[in-house]
Amino acid sequence: MEIGIPKEIKVKEGRVGLIPAAAAELVNAGHQVFLQSNAGIGSGYSNSDYEQIGVRIAPDAQQLYEQSQLIIKVKEPVEGDLAHLREQHTIFCYLHLAANPDLTKALQEIGLCAVGFETVADGDRLPLLAPMSDIAGQLSIHIGSQLLHHYTGGKGVMLGGLAGTKRGKVVILGAGVAGRAAARVAASLGAEVCVFARRREQQDQMRMLGPNVTALYPFQSEIGKALLETDLLVGAVLVPGAKAPCIVSKTMVRQMQSGSVIVD
């Protein structure tokens, strides 16, 4: 099979669909793999890193798409990508179509086969989404704690607290991969963490992170009360293949303290 790895053109996206080690596995299995020139630079991989393991370099996107049957990329195709996609292509990437009806319609009109990373399941696991969710969960606390600084417009709160000051309060909605990662980082900083999770086993996992972690069932009234005092709210709810439900209303947001932070 001819497999193409295009350069990501979505704003601020520096990842690449396959790192050299992964591309080498496909080359060794007998496939032809093409990389758009400099597609790996944003992730720290040069063209020569790919050429050394047998990947061929395509000078531009047009030639890459013309040579390839299977397109492996990271983010959903944007306008510049769609111009190169044809009916004979299979595209394999994050798609999140439930929240993007215009892209869904565009792919249908092209008539190709599109497979979303986030819908590939192994039992009840989502192996391609999990590592990205882990990163997102950890980053939610790093970014949220920075936004709480006074100079960014936040409350001037340090999540771990200081001698003579209270610990910061973090509320996390969901205890999947992203929610667990966020709770783990927030707890390690010393914050007071409250995780809302539906399943009892998830609640037990969260409580095991430490005495500063509370896990509750997501009753709307309990979430509303928690948000009145929270410094950082993290939304980490996932419905596989579907748009995430709205759990926190505009009214609930208005009742949060000035300078608090939401990372969804």
Side-chain angles (χ1 to χ4, degrees):
M1 177 179 284
E2 288 75 37
I3 300 170
I5 311 166
K7 186 175 182 179
E8 299 293 325
I9 58 175
K10 189 170 184 178
V11 176
K12 295 184 178 180
E13 180 54 69
R15 291 172 290 181
V16 64
L18 291 174
I19 64 173
E25 295 286 319
L26 295 174
V27 172
N28 293 336
H31 301 287
Q32 286 190 321
V33 180
F34 300 93
L35 176 82
Q36 184 179 341
S37 183
N38 295 325
I41 293 296
S43 291
Y45 301 107
S46 66
N47 286 348
S48 63
D49 291 330
Y50 287 90
E51 289 177 303
Q52 290 172 9
I53 49 93
V55 173
R56 301 182 185 183
I57 305 300
D60 52 38
Q62 180 176 343
Q63 186 166 328
L64 176 101
Y65 281 87
E66 288 177 352
Q67 292 175 317
S68 306
Q69 299 168 285
L70 173 63
I71 304 296
I72 299 179
K73 62 192 308 296
V74 180
K75 291 301 292 181
E76 73 279 0
V78 294
E79 186 174 350
D81 301 310
L82 291 170
H84 297 292
L85 287 169
R86 300 290 182 265
E87 183 178 1
Q88 65 267 23
H89 285 132
T90 294
I91 185 168
F92 192 32
C93 63
Y94 290 108
L95 289 170
H96 302 293
L97 296 179
N100 197 341
D102 290 340
L103 176 58
T104 305
K105 183 178 179 181
L107 294 175
Q108 288 176 321
E109 290 176 348
I110 294 171
L112 49 63
C113 176
V115 182
F117 284 167
E118 72 279 2
T119 61
V120 175
D122 179 11
D124 60 352
R125 294 174 59 254
L126 300 171
L128 300 184
L129 185 60
M132 297 300 102
S133 298
D134 198 359
I135 293 169
Q138 294 190 49
L139 282 177
S140 70
I141 303 301
H142 292 305
I143 294 171
S145 62
Q146 182 178 11
L147 293 175
L148 277 170
H149 292 315
H150 192 267
Y151 67 83
T152 63
K155 298 168 69 174
V157 171
M158 292 187 70
L159 289 182
L162 293 165
T165 68
K166 295 181 179 180
R167 299 170 185 266
K169 295 184 177 180
V170 178
V171 169
I172 299 171
L173 304 177
V177 175
R180 290 196 301 270
R184 189 167 57 248
V185 174
S188 68
L189 289 174
E192 290 185 24
V193 184
C194 181
V195 183
F196 287 94
R198 289 186 175 274
R199 302 210 306 263
R200 177 60 185 263
E201 60 269 25
Q202 290 179 324
Q203 296 171 9
D204 288 338
Q205 289 175 352
M206 294 299 95
R207 292 190 181 102
M208 291 174 65
L209 291 175
N212 55 330
V213 180
T214 302
L216 301 173
Y217 188 85
F219 293 112
Q220 279 289 296
S221 59
E222 291 298 317
I223 294 175
K225 285 191 293 185
L227 294 187
L228 295 176
E229 298 182 342
T230 192
D231 299 305
L232 172 59
L233 167 64
V234 176
V237 176
L238 170 72
V239 179
K243 189 175 181 179
C246 180
I247 294 175
V248 177
S249 67
K250 292 181 180 179
T251 299
M252 294 164 76
V253 172
R254 293 190 190 103
Q255 292 172 344
M256 293 175 68
Q257 296 176 15
S258 177
S260 54
V261 173
I262 300 174
V263 180
D264 191 16

